Amino acid sequence: MLLVGTLLTALFIYMPMQLVKTEVNSKVFAQQPGTSGVLFTEYTLFTSQEVAKGACASRCLRNALCLSFTFTRVVQPGKCQGHSKIMTFSDVKVAEVGAQTYAVREAEEWWEKSCSTKADCGINAYVICRRNVCVCPHGYYVSEGLNQCVSDCPVSSLTPNFVQYHEAGIVSHNIVDLNGDAATCIKACVQSTSYYCLNFEYNPAERCLLGDATEVNYPGIWIENEPGWILYQRNCQ
């Protein structure tokens, strides 16, 4: 437990898959996958010197536009940089020894919860209410550590969990046509080695089409109405 002054209490918990959760004043920040050792050069709201990452998190919380922060502590005091978006490994960056980025995380899991409108799905900026279910926009990943929708996910950060999009699919980019139940299809996708399986289309008649592309990478491949099929999209750490 780290106490800074009398106002800030920060709790650092080491989570599975090397995620770090930082809780400050009931708000939660989680370590952003693929951002160790880099400093982002765009979407900067502020740069300051702070003694600890808890203080940096508090600085971010005081700014309504701040969605993520990067803290670097090689020498005291550390460097704190706030960002106006959730930074990902694909954003413009430079090498920075000791740097790590954290992003705001929803307090509760929201994906695949029932909804009537987007407001039922929490504060996540990208979440949508599709067919009365909270999901990410087409082609986005659920980041389990951040509890947010992200457009990019390093292959090493893909998880064995999936989100279902009923009556949806993708055009082409189906690498493997397989017969089997949903569990068989999930196992085949997660254990694939000859290509990176990002999703698969499943038909209850026990047929699945394993794919290696998303709408974000290949705009126009999404099929919004494909009766009888369910698109399973992999999650990210």
Side-chain angles (χ1 to χ4, degrees), residues 106 108-124 127-135:
E106 291 273 6
E108 297 181 355
E109 292 183 357
W110 51 266
W111 62 88
E112 295 190 308
K113 289 178 60 177
S114 298
C115 60
S116 297
T117 67
K118 173 179 165 52
D120 297 327
C121 302
I123 63 173
N124 190 324
V127 68
I128 62 174
C129 180
R130 179 186 183 274
R131 299 177 185 267
N132 299 116
V133 178
C134 296
V135 292

Side-chain angles (χ1 to χ4, degrees), residues 164-168 178-183 185 200-209 226-232:
Q164 299 179 32
Y165 292 77
H166 288 261
E167 297 191 358
L178 181 68
N179 292 321
D181 59 14
C185 299
F200 66 86
E201 297 173 72
Y202 176 69
N203 186 298
E206 298 196 344
R207 180 188 177 199
C208 57
L209 306 173
E226 190 172 23
W229 290 83
I230 303 171
L231 182 74
Y232 283 68

